[in-house]
Amino acid sequence: MKSICTAIACALMLGALPLKAQRKPNIVLIISDDHAFQAIGAYGGREARTPNIDRLAREGVRFNRAYVTNSICGPSRAVILTGKHSHKNGFKDNEHSRFDGSQNTFIKELGKSGYNTAWIGKWHLETRPEGFSYWQILPGQGHYYNPDFQMMDGSRKNFEGYVSNVVEDEAEKWLNGRDTSKPFCLVIGHKATHRTWIPDTTDMGAFENTTFELPANFFDKYEGREAARIQEMSISESMRMGYDLKMFGDSAEANREGSIKRMNPAQRAKFDAFYGPISDGLKTVRFTAEGFAQWKFQRYMRDYMSTALSLDRNIGRTLDYLDRNGLAENTIVIYMSDQGFYMGEHGWFDKRFMYEESFRTPMIIRYPGNLKPGTVNTDFVMNLDIAPTLLDAAGAAIPSDMQGKSFLPVLARKENARKAMYYHYYENGEHAVSPHFGVRTERYKLIRFYKRVNGWELYDLKKDPSEMKNVFNDKKYRKVKDKMIAELLGQIGKYDDADARAVLGARL
Ligand code: SGN
Ligand code: CA
């Protein structure tokens, strides 16, 4: 790996100079929803059109091995805020958890060191944000068209337009009116590219001439992988023609979908003009089962990639805003998704599993003068590290109970990166993914499923990067298995995960 900073910048970064000599950097943290690295040009996404995210990657560090501790929305945001695993911050799943806003967050710590802080857009933590100078959030998942926002004064306000544009408009409004005597930290929470992938009207049809390559394991039979076999997130079985793919029999059927019904007449006319003929065309087609699954895959990819266009364009607007206002030089910009997503790998959409496509997340950081532009980093970093990293960059103290670690010393090659990553997914509902926890090292991944499915999986990622062959019971891997179980126990102890300990206690 290349060295990514000059001596002076490293000294600054490592706090070797007195803090008061530093100009505190501003921070813009952009968190999208369900945006897969496979759909980003800078990550090698084949048909991706993400010029603005690619620009950020050219100007910053692109993490090739950034991961999440629990691959689902609310839990990931709670980890980002607190720097603690789900079992410590209390937000384990989207079904029953409510974020305890009285606990400490990096936002509160930044506030103590003089920052102006704001969160605008998707939040999805059930309780109201605490400790921010300003917030304005989408209730729950929010809507693509004409979204409502929960305002800080308790009111609910409706905004006409497409959600990615509105979120950016509101973020810029806050920036325009902020107290310029203080450094700022702004979190922009995008709804895109979450289900049901409804593009802005200007982007409908943008990928109609693209045929996406089917992942090699699209027709996975899930042999030896029981949890993967029983899930309900496959494109062929679980993806719905109306709700997900907007193939409605008629206007009345479309009207039954809240997300479509809320469009204004002009938006609706464009929606009908685009999707109507595709849906009509289907009425005369006869598919084989495989052909139908492939048709759904293409439709899904086209909608998803078109939805991502507006996300990317609005990230470009953020970068332009910083340029125009002379802020780019002293502002850290991070772009990340709350987790990864399946683009047909294993036949799936959605996330949740500890398999690579959803465990990994895109993450790019631009820190002018401190991090060398165009760097590709392959250290193991996690969403758990965002809170301590930002506090480190701001010269603020990192609370000792934060479980993540600043990755600035790792980037400066002053410290070694972590060798193993711990994961725990709890939800046991929609999409029927069994709860599981596990550990990943450079070469291997060990997963323990419980509750819905009880069983172990072990992958040799060097020989089997797409995780198709569970070698847990393969005698050749006995030593590896023992080592990985010891590694897992070590991680459970290190992070003090009592739930995982209870599951294993009965078995080991
Ligand atoms: C909703 C979606 C699921 C999705 C979860 C979690 N169903 O429940 O497909 O996995 O959100 O998403 S939907 O019918 O409401 O679209 S997350 O981004 O919040 O983690
Ligand atoms: Ca998400």
Side-chain angles (χ1 to χ4, degrees):
M1 227 68 36
K2 290 172 227 157
S3 159
I4 38 74
C5 58
T6 64
I8 294 171
C10 282
L12 275 169
M13 227 159 55
L14 295 169
L17 294 181
L19 283 182
K20 58 178 181 295
Q22 299 179 26
R23 209 167 123 227
K24 286 183 190 294
N26 301 308
I27 297 163
V28 176
L29 172 59
I30 307 171
I31 308 174
S32 61
D33 204 316
D34 296 0
H35 196 206
F37 56 85
Q38 309 92 299
I40 297 176
Y43 278 91
R46 284 264 200 93
E47 307 290 348
R49 283 180 230 156
T50 49
N52 294 292
I53 298 174
D54 300 350
R55 169 189 164 191
L56 196 66
R58 277 197 310 278
E59 295 173 352
V61 178
R62 176 170 68 79
F63 290 100
N64 223 2
R65 299 211 290 186
Y67 289 80
V68 297
T69 65
N70 181 359
S71 179
I72 187 149
C73 173
S76 175
R77 282 168 183 73
V79 168
I80 291 169
L81 275 166
T82 60
K84 292 179 185 169
H85 279 273
S86 306
H87 60 279
K88 292 292 178 190
N89 69 49
F91 202 103
K92 294 179 181 173
D93 60 52
N94 276 351
E95 289 186 316
H96 313 289
S97 302
R98 292 173 61 75
F99 187 67
D100 171 9
S102 71
Q103 67 187 303
N104 201 12
T105 61
F106 79 90
I107 293 289
K108 290 183 182 174
E109 292 292 331
L110 286 178
K112 277 193 236 159
S113 50
Y115 274 74
N116 221 328
T117 58
W119 188 300
I120 294 172
K122 185 170 173 185
W123 165 256
H124 205 200
L125 287 171
E126 305 304 328
T127 51
R128 294 195 174 173
E130 286 182 38
F132 289 85
S133 320
Y134 182 77
W135 56 263
Q136 178 178 338
I137 56 170
L138 296 169
Q141 295 282 9
H143 284 107
Y144 275 111
Y145 278 87
N146 312 323
D148 285 342
F149 278 80
Q150 186 70 52
M151 310 298 282
M152 211 178 167
D153 64 8
S155 65
R156 209 172 155 121
K157 213 170 148 187
N158 180 259
F159 291 75
E160 187 93 351
Y162 185 73
V163 70
S164 309
N165 302 330
V166 176
V167 166
E168 176 64 22
D169 292 345
E170 293 307 295
E172 291 188 18
K173 219 183 275 169
W174 180 78
L175 284 170
N176 287 336
R178 77 190 193 280
D179 173 357
T180 52
S181 69
K182 292 179 171 181
F184 68 83
C185 172
L186 166 65
V187 185
I188 303 178
H190 278 292
K191 172 177 172 61
T193 47
H194 195 269
R195 194 183 188 188
T196 54
W197 322 290
I198 312 178
D200 192 353
T201 49
T202 52
D203 300 318
M204 286 173 185
F207 286 88
E208 289 317 291
N209 295 326
T210 306
T211 301
F212 293 91
E213 192 179 321
L214 206 64
N217 58 1
F218 184 77
F219 291 110
D220 192 351
K221 297 278 183 284
Y222 316 115
E223 273 158 40
R225 287 162 291 139
E226 183 61 8
R229 192 181 66 77
I230 64 155
Q231 50 56 49
E232 291 167 8
M233 50 184 256
S234 78
I235 291 171
S236 65
E237 303 293 323
S238 306
M239 186 173 273
R240 295 185 252 161
M241 287 298 279
Y243 181 72
D244 286 313
L245 298 179
K246 302 132 203 118
M247 296 293 105
F248 300 110
D250 54 34
S251 194
E253 195 188 329
N255 281 340
R256 284 197 287 276
E257 289 304 340
S259 57
I260 311 297
K261 204 166 72 187
R262 59 188 294 117
M263 292 177 173
N264 67 31
Q267 293 162 346
R268 181 60 188 271
K270 287 189 177 155
F271 177 89
D272 288 343
F274 177 68
Y275 287 101
I278 302 175
S279 178
D280 289 345
L282 277 180
K283 289 174 185 154
T284 52
V285 185
R286 291 258 169 275
F287 285 113
T288 60
E290 284 204 352
F292 187 46
Q294 294 196 41
W295 182 91
K296 288 173 87 179
F297 168 74
Q298 293 299 336
R299 194 64 261 142
Y300 162 54
M301 292 298 288
R302 286 170 181 161
D303 279 1
Y304 183 103
M305 300 299 261
S306 304
T307 304
L309 290 177
S310 177
L311 167 68
D312 182 77
R313 196 158 52 236
N314 280 291
I315 291 170
R317 284 180 65 200
T318 308
L319 300 180
D320 290 347
Y321 181 97
L322 297 176
D323 286 342
R324 234 182 15 254
N325 290 281
L327 291 166
E329 277 312 300
N330 192 39
T331 301
I332 297 173
V333 179
I334 297 185
Y335 172 66
M336 65 189 296
S337 175
D338 57 352
Q339 21 50 216
F341 211 68
Y342 294 93
M343 309 301 304
E345 299 86 0
H346 302 282
W348 296 339
F349 66 102
D350 216 73
K351 53 263 182 178
R352 299 158 192 272
F353 279 103
M354 198 193 166
Y355 304 134
E356 290 294 289
E357 291 84 358
S358 43
F359 182 23
R360 249 181 92 190
T361 191
M363 192 197 285
I364 298 168
I365 175 169
R366 184 180 80 176
Y367 190 2
N370 287 271
L371 301 179
K372 193 174 160 220
T375 307
V376 177
N377 179 280
T378 54
D379 293 314
F380 282 160
V381 295
M382 301 194 87
N383 59 346
L384 189 68
D385 303 328
I386 294 289
T389 298
L390 293 178
L391 292 177
D392 192 11
I398 301 170
S400 59
D401 62 348
M402 279 193 177
Q403 296 179 311
K405 285 198 78 180
S406 168
F407 48 67
L408 296 183
V410 169
L411 287 175
R413 288 286 166 260
K414 300 280 178 187
E415 268 181 28
N416 292 326
R418 58 165 66 77
K419 297 264 181 289
M421 289 181 294
Y422 183 62
Y423 182 87
H424 196 157
Y425 170 79
Y426 298 81
E427 204 167 298
N428 191 18
E430 192 181 6
H431 299 298
V433 174
S434 180
H436 57 287
F437 51 86
V439 65
R440 192 212 138 132
T441 60
E442 175 66 32
R443 177 153 177 188
Y444 301 103
K445 185 184 291 181
L446 177 71
I447 311 177
R448 170 58 204 253
F449 289 93
Y450 66 100
K451 272 192 186 162
R452 194 176 284 255
V453 165
N454 272 295
W456 292 93
E457 293 183 6
L458 177 67
Y459 295 95
D460 182 339
L461 298 169
K462 193 171 167 199
K463 289 195 177 148
D464 177 27
S466 8
E467 297 157 297
M468 299 292 286
K469 194 162 184 264
N470 173 14
V471 295
F472 188 79
N473 291 320
D474 184 333
K475 289 202 176 61
K476 289 199 288 292
Y477 283 88
R478 213 170 55 218
K479 273 196 188 139
V480 171
K481 179 169 101 179
D482 290 347
K483 255 183 99 178
M484 288 301 285
I485 289 175
E487 183 66 66
L488 180 64
L489 292 174
Q491 295 285 318
I492 290 169
K494 176 176 170 191
Y495 293 117
D496 189 26
D497 186 349
D499 298 325
R501 209 181 284 125
V503 171
L504 294 182
R507 299 255 157 183
L508 281 177

